[in-house]
Amino acid sequence: MEYAAAKSSICRQCGHYFSPFAPKPELKLHAKEEAPALENSSILHRFEDFWKRQRSSIIECFECNRKQQVCGAATSTICPACSAHIDLRDYKITGGFSRTIRTRGDVHLTAKGDLSSSGVICRSALIEGRLRGNLHCDDTATINFSGKIPGSLSARHVIVKRKADIHCFRRVRVGTIEIKGKMSGEIIAQTMVAVHKKGSLEGDVTAKAITVEKGGMFSGLLVIGQANLAQGELLPEQKPVAESMPEADISGAAPQRVPAT
């Protein structure tokens, strides 16, 4: 450290004199000029962004089931009743993913994706990759891959695409289901099961109605009725035979003599 009023000083390494307060030449660094980002000026993307900001949707709280209206551009919100956080983001899975997802947005599992989450709750889902966890959709679940689904699957509406070939180990609970490809497993539907042309379904089905188009195939046990009925409840209750036969009234009858033999 040098004295503030010093005019010159000596270097302790080489012994030369120098002025400690002489102006130093500025270092000029030639920074690499970055190319400006290309702005997406397509009319289609501008229209999609505008439409997403203008539209609104009705969502339901995960905790208290209270419904509220939110803007389409929002990524999250808070329930006005219980102050719980509600995720509104869309998820696109292109690789291995094992975290739990609970959103009111959409989930897209690409062909190279591997979803092994213990629980996934979303509005709608497009499954094109490997699904090893549990999936619940409030709206539509579209399946377009070939493989096994060891977890549970539930949705309001399920579509099995033409090129799909899936095997479900656990019960599939749906409102309605359309099978255009191949599927094997047990289905419990609230309304209808539809097997389209060239579609194939193998397994037990419980639904209120089923349609199999010409060229489609169904193999399994079919129960038409309510999903919560047991096998014994499907049959009408029958009274015992002993109760149906009238008993003879012998209280007022006169005694009869039996002839001696």
Side-chain angles (χ1 to χ4, degrees):
M1 181 180 294
E2 301 296 337
Y3 183 63
K7 300 296 182 181
S8 64
S9 180
I10 185 172
C11 179
R12 293 177 177 80
Q13 292 185 357
C14 62
H16 288 79
Y17 288 91
F18 67 96
S19 177
F21 302 101
K24 298 180 180 180
E26 296 181 358
L27 297 177
K28 296 182 179 180
L29 300 178
H30 298 280
K32 185 178 180 180
E33 296 182 358
E34 297 181 356
L38 297 177
E39 296 182 357
N40 190 1
S41 59
S42 64
I43 300 177
L44 179 61
H45 283 273
R46 288 185 178 182
F47 179 76
E48 289 179 354
D49 294 340
F50 175 77
W51 174 253
K52 188 174 182 180
R53 293 179 181 274
Q54 293 297 324
R55 69 177 182 178
S56 60
S57 59
I58 304 296
I59 64 169
E60 186 175 333
C61 178
F62 293 107
E63 305 298 336
C64 64
N65 298 328
R66 186 184 188 276
K67 295 183 179 181
Q68 61 172 318
Q69 185 175 2
V70 296
C71 177
T75 58
S76 64
T77 185
I78 295 177
C79 177
C82 63
S83 301
H85 177 265
I86 304 174
D87 190 4
L88 304 176
R89 294 175 296 175
D90 298 336
Y91 289 82
K92 185 177 182 180
I93 302 172
T94 58
F97 193 89
S98 59
R99 292 185 300 171
T100 302
I101 299 177
R102 193 169 72 162
T103 179
R104 293 304 183 190
D106 302 333
V107 173
H108 180 197
L109 179 61
T110 61
K112 296 183 179 180
D114 185 1
L115 182 58
S116 59
S117 303
S118 59
V120 176
I121 301 176
C122 61
R123 179 178 58 185
S124 61
L126 174 59
I127 307 301
E128 296 177 334
R130 189 177 182 184
L131 176 63
R132 294 186 292 171
N134 302 326
L135 175 64
H136 172 74
C137 297
D138 296 331
D139 194 5
T140 303
T142 305
I143 301 176
N144 191 19
F145 84 105
S146 298
K148 300 178 181 179
I149 302 179
S152 62
L153 175 62
S154 60
R156 185 187 64 84
H157 183 63
V158 174
I159 300 175
V160 180
K161 287 294 188 178
R162 186 78 63 186
K163 297 181 180 180
D165 186 1
I166 60 174
H167 175 66
C168 300
F169 289 93
R170 302 179 66 179
R171 289 180 177 177
V172 179
R173 298 183 179 272
V174 298
T176 58
I177 183 171
E178 298 181 32
I179 301 174
K180 303 178 181 179
K182 296 181 180 180
M183 178 180 177
S184 61
E186 183 179 358
I187 298 176
I188 297 180
Q190 295 179 357
T191 54
M192 189 178 67
V193 175
V195 181
H196 291 265
K197 184 179 180 181
K198 296 183 180 180
S200 174
L201 174 60
E202 182 179 355
D204 300 341
V205 174
T206 302
K208 291 185 178 180
I210 184 172
T211 60
V212 181
E213 295 183 358
K214 185 178 180 180
M217 185 184 69
F218 167 67
S219 174
L221 177 64
L222 177 62
V223 177
I224 299 297
Q226 298 181 6
N228 57 353
L229 290 179
Q231 185 65 24
E233 296 175 347
L234 296 176
L235 300 177
E237 184 178 359
Q238 296 181 357
K239 296 182 179 180
V241 179
E243 296 181 0
S244 60
M245 296 178 61
E247 296 181 356
D249 187 9
I250 59 175
S251 59
Q256 297 180 0
R257 295 181 180 180
V258 179
T261 57

